[in-house]
Amino acid sequence: MRKLRWAISALIVGLMLPLTTAVLAEGALVEPTGRVVLTVSGKIGATNSGDTAQFDMEMLRALPAQSFSTSTLWTEGVHEFTGVPLAVLLEELGISGGTVDAWAINDYLAEFDVARLEPDVPIIAYAMNGKPMPRRDKGPLWLVYPYDSSDRYRTELVYSRSVWQLDRLEILE
Ligand SMILES: Nc1nc2c(c(=O)[nH]1)N[C@H]1C(S)=C(S)[C@@H](COP(=O)(O)O)O[C@H]1N2
Ligand SMILES: [Mo]
């Protein structure tokens, strides 16, 4: 009985661990130690650098990850993409509504309505086939949808939101 209870507690803790991420330490965002790949600004509830939240790869990898395999308009064949769902990252920062502007290195911009985001889609992909993506292959961060899984992911709007070389998110009202 003791053992069973211990096993159940261990199971519960095990299930909860992925929810309490290593990124938020006691409600405060940890600081990046590696190269900053993503900066979130605007109406955010957690910061680690002035008014912004900065992420290095390690911090992104510490968040709950999602993977799927799909072809894309911009790559050959089917590849596995891994990343943190945009909705998950926003939730970590205490963002539950408003608009998100996603900016690329070249100042390309796409807009998202937070309330209409799916929980797992799109992902901020940081790996393709388990490997980091260099800039020339649309990395290091690329907003990717599972295009092959449904025709609702094969629309011009979704394509236009597939921001590669993503480096900034701005949270607006
Ligand atoms: N960084 C970045 N991502 C981007 C774009 C861009 O110009 N820069 N174009 C978007 C748009 S509007 C579409 S339809 C698709 C396809 O762009 P393409 O016409 O260059 O293939 O990528 C999207 N992601
Ligand atoms: Mo487009």
Side-chain angles (χ1 to χ4, degrees):
M1 192 60 198
R2 260 262 187 96
K3 257 194 181 151
L4 179 64
R5 213 183 284 166
W6 187 87
I8 289 170
S9 311
L11 181 66
I12 290 170
V13 169
L15 289 173
M16 284 176 66
L17 268 180
L19 301 174
T20 62
T21 67
V23 170
L24 285 171
E26 299 186 2
L29 200 59
V30 301
E31 283 182 27
T33 52
R35 187 163 64 87
V36 172
V37 288
L38 183 68
T39 300
V40 189
S41 64
K43 297 218 54 164
I44 54 179
T47 59
N48 61 6
S49 176
D51 294 339
T52 72
Q54 299 194 327
F55 291 83
D56 61 15
M57 280 294 188
E58 199 187 332
M59 290 167 68
L60 292 177
R61 286 196 210 101
L63 291 167
Q66 176 72 34
S67 293
F68 51 74
S69 291
T70 186
S71 65
T72 85
L73 281 184
W74 313 280
T75 49
E76 283 274 322
V78 172
H79 300 281
E80 186 196 43
F81 293 91
T82 304
V84 51
L86 178 58
V88 168
L89 183 116
L90 296 176
E91 203 178 300
E92 288 289 329
L93 297 175
I95 298 151
S96 54
T99 299
V100 174
D101 279 355
W103 294 89
I105 291 168
N106 70 343
D107 288 342
Y108 178 82
L109 164 68
E111 212 160 68
F112 296 81
D113 179 350
V114 175
R116 298 189 61 173
L117 280 176
E118 289 184 65
D120 290 337
V121 171
I123 61 170
I124 303 175
Y126 46 70
M128 189 167 97
N129 306 319
K131 294 194 207 88
M133 294 174 285
R135 271 197 195 188
R136 68 175 174 281
D137 289 336
K138 311 217 178 316
L141 301 180
W142 183 5
L143 280 171
V144 180
Y145 291 76
Y147 311 97
D148 291 351
S149 74
S150 165
D151 49 18
R152 75 176 188 278
Y153 300 130
R154 294 192 292 270
T155 67
E156 278 306 317
L157 181 61
V158 162
Y159 296 147
S160 74
R161 287 177 167 166
S162 302
V163 179
W164 52 78
Q165 298 175 335
L166 173 77
D167 75 337
R168 283 160 288 156
L169 295 174
E170 196 179 348
I171 317 304
L172 313 166
E173 286 283 1

